[in-house]
Amino acid sequence: METSRINDPDTPPCGPAVGCDVVTVPARQGLEAIDILRRGPKDAVGPVLHDDGGDTLGFLVPPGTAAAWDVPGSTCTRTDGRGLRLAPEPPVEGSDWLLPPGEADLATDPAVLREALDEAARMIRAADSCR
């Protein structure tokens, strides 16, 4: 498994041997971001987890992303290759795959995800201001 459209050769790929970091966002913003990413290049969005309560989504990103992640309203959890592994079954109890590995083979490029989350936040603010 490799990342999509990532240009940094020092960023390791996300996959079974190295694990992935996870960017967690509110479900509404995450679903908007998925729509934005799916309108882009074919491999713009990788595997995505959702919690059973439906409150958050978790985007799998390359390991090391957490060190520089600073998007307001989201968190990035570092796994250092020790926890999250890509498998058909959800890696965390109380979660499930929204976009499972196999259907979404590439980890999401953190720069592309950042842009999509920013655009999603702007769309949500605009929609909420019309109420």
Side-chain angles (χ1 to χ4, degrees):
M1 173 170 295
E2 296 178 12
T3 59
S4 64
R5 299 186 336 165
I6 194 158
N7 296 323
D8 183 357
D10 296 327
T11 302
C14 174
V18 295
C20 300
D21 288 354
V22 180
V23 172
T24 304
V25 299
R28 184 176 177 200
Q29 183 180 14
L31 291 170
E32 289 289 344
I34 289 171
D35 286 344
I36 292 163
L37 291 167
R38 284 191 156 177
R39 289 193 302 256
K42 181 179 181 257
D43 295 328
V45 62
V48 178
L49 287 162
H50 70 86
D51 65 349
D52 282 341
D55 296 333
T56 62
L57 296 183
F59 290 83
L60 274 59
V61 293
T65 299
W69 191 258
D70 62 352
V71 176
S74 69
T75 59
C76 188
T77 305
R78 178 185 333 230
T79 64
D80 293 327
R82 295 191 302 266
L84 185 60
R85 298 283 188 243
L86 297 181
E89 63 277 351
V92 178
E93 189 174 329
S95 69
D96 202 356
W97 291 108
L98 182 64
L99 297 174
E103 288 181 29
D105 288 331
L106 306 174
T108 303
D109 181 324
V112 174
L113 179 57
R114 178 185 309 270
E115 291 173 16
L117 290 172
D118 287 346
E119 184 177 339
R122 287 190 301 272
M123 291 172 63
I124 290 168
R125 278 193 305 272
D128 288 349
S129 70
C130 293
R131 290 182 183 180

